[in-house]
Amino acid sequence: MKCNFERFPRWSPEIKEFFSNFLKQMQLPSEIHRTLRIVRYVAFCKASEYRTFLHYASVVVLKDFYDAQGYSHFLLYFCGVTILSSSYYQHLWTRVKDFLSRFVKDFGTYYGRTHMTNNVHNLQHVFGEVAMFGPLDNFSAYCFESHLQQIKRWVRSGKKFAEQVAGRSSEIATIYMTANLIAPKYPYLKTNGIGLHVAADFVLLPNFKDQFFLLKNDDVVKFLDVKASSLFSITIVGVRFLFKMALFELNFEDNSIAKTSSTDLNIYKIIENSPTRHMEVSWTGIKCKLVRVKLPSRSLTHPHDASITTPDRGGSMISWDDLF
């Protein structure tokens, strides 16, 4: 990873290795099919991998690598993109114009004017595009790029490319139409009875990566089991964390930016071994799934210094993109 930024020092080989090991060990939900790569291969990452890192890892792991001002500047970008990625946060969209404008204005101060590319400038226009076309995913190229890969796989020989693609496309369309006729109705239990499909892209399982969700009253819950007597009577058994706190507060002394808390974005910090209470709740009380990012007890910037520890490093709960 190249680092020629003015205010941030280069990472040593030890830090790169420690950071890479942390990314490899991160357990992302089943809905995310690509795991995060180590630093050495960052140049080969796909756009969806950068997106995963931004939404679910960056706000947690990069805090060790910034000073307070630098981290606040990064939060302008993180909060802006997160808010514009979902219609659930539409009531906060008006804030984002100020967030991204301030981020671009101060970008040169933190990363150097040589890195002020056209892509950085274009961030100032993202709010206008979202106001016109809806959340970012409504007009992003992720689905298009993913489908291009599928089209490439349909071509089996070097002749008659168009005919091969057209034939396979027709077959897939027929299969898709047939599958839709018998599409499952959500929610439904997994065949082994130990998990729950809440939606097509939302599954709860009793394991570390698929176990956490947020209720509509903003309680953080750990999934344990599910009871069902009918489609309309599905009860989730779990434990509720009694204490949670904000992971960050975005606040500038000059009051030029609206004060924003991570809790506004359904992002919470849970201290390890914090008190819990057993509970049962209907599946209709679910707001969204949570991604759990568990930090090591030692700072990522000082991997070999046992004297630098933070006892309150717990699991951070970050909301899934698609909220109910």
Side-chain angles (χ1 to χ4, degrees), residues 34 141-153:
R34 288 183 180 273
Y142 288 117
C143 295
F144 175 73
E145 292 179 354
S146 179
H147 190 62
L148 285 179
Q149 183 183 36
Q150 186 62 53
I151 291 176
K152 182 178 179 181
R153 292 176 179 174

Side-chain angles (χ1 to χ4, degrees), residues 84 97 100-101 104 118-133 136 139:
L84 294 181
K97 186 176 182 180
L100 296 183
S101 294
V104 173
N118 194 51
N119 286 336
V120 177
H121 166 78
N122 286 340
L123 289 173
Q124 298 177 100
H125 305 292
V126 174
F127 169 77
E129 299 298 314
V130 170
M132 185 179 301
F133 301 111
L136 290 174
F139 56 95

Side-chain angles (χ1 to χ4, degrees), residues 143-292:
C143 295
F144 175 73
E145 292 179 354
S146 179
H147 190 62
L148 285 179
Q149 183 183 36
Q150 186 62 53
I151 291 176
K152 182 178 179 181
R153 292 176 179 174
W154 289 348
V155 178
R156 302 297 176 83
S157 66
K159 296 181 180 180
K160 298 183 177 180
F161 303 121
E163 288 84 345
Q164 292 182 62
V165 172
R168 288 297 295 159
S169 180
S170 179
E171 294 174 10
I172 295 298
T174 302
I175 295 172
Y176 181 77
M177 291 176 62
T178 304
N180 280 347
L181 295 176
I182 55 174
K185 294 183 179 180
Y186 297 97
Y188 69 90
L189 301 182
K190 287 186 68 67
T191 53
N192 57 13
I194 61 173
L196 177 68
H197 286 279
V198 181
D201 56 353
F202 187 163
V203 63
L204 290 173
L205 297 170
N207 57 40
F208 181 90
K209 62 182 184 178
D210 294 308
Q211 209 168 12
F212 299 90
F213 62 93
L214 192 68
L215 293 178
K216 292 178 180 178
N217 63 359
D218 292 332
D219 283 340
V220 176
V221 181
K222 178 180 179 181
F223 174 84
L224 297 179
D225 199 2
V226 60
K227 302 176 181 178
S229 57
S230 68
L231 176 63
F232 303 101
S233 180
I234 296 179
T235 302
I236 294 173
V237 180
V239 291
R240 176 173 63 90
F241 291 89
L242 300 182
F243 300 103
K244 61 182 184 295
M245 63 188 74
L247 180 65
F248 62 79
E249 297 280 350
L250 181 59
N251 189 21
F252 286 81
E253 293 182 357
D254 58 5
N255 295 321
S256 59
I257 299 297
K259 184 177 180 180
T260 303
S261 170
S262 69
T263 59
D264 296 328
L265 308 182
N266 297 301
I267 299 175
Y268 298 90
K269 183 176 181 181
I270 304 294
I271 302 301
E272 200 72 41
N273 300 320
S274 61
T276 60
R277 179 174 296 169
H278 189 275
M279 70 175 304
E280 295 187 4
V281 62
S282 170
W283 73 274
T284 57
I286 297 175
K287 177 190 285 189
C288 64
K289 188 171 182 176
L290 294 172
V291 179
R292 183 179 183 185

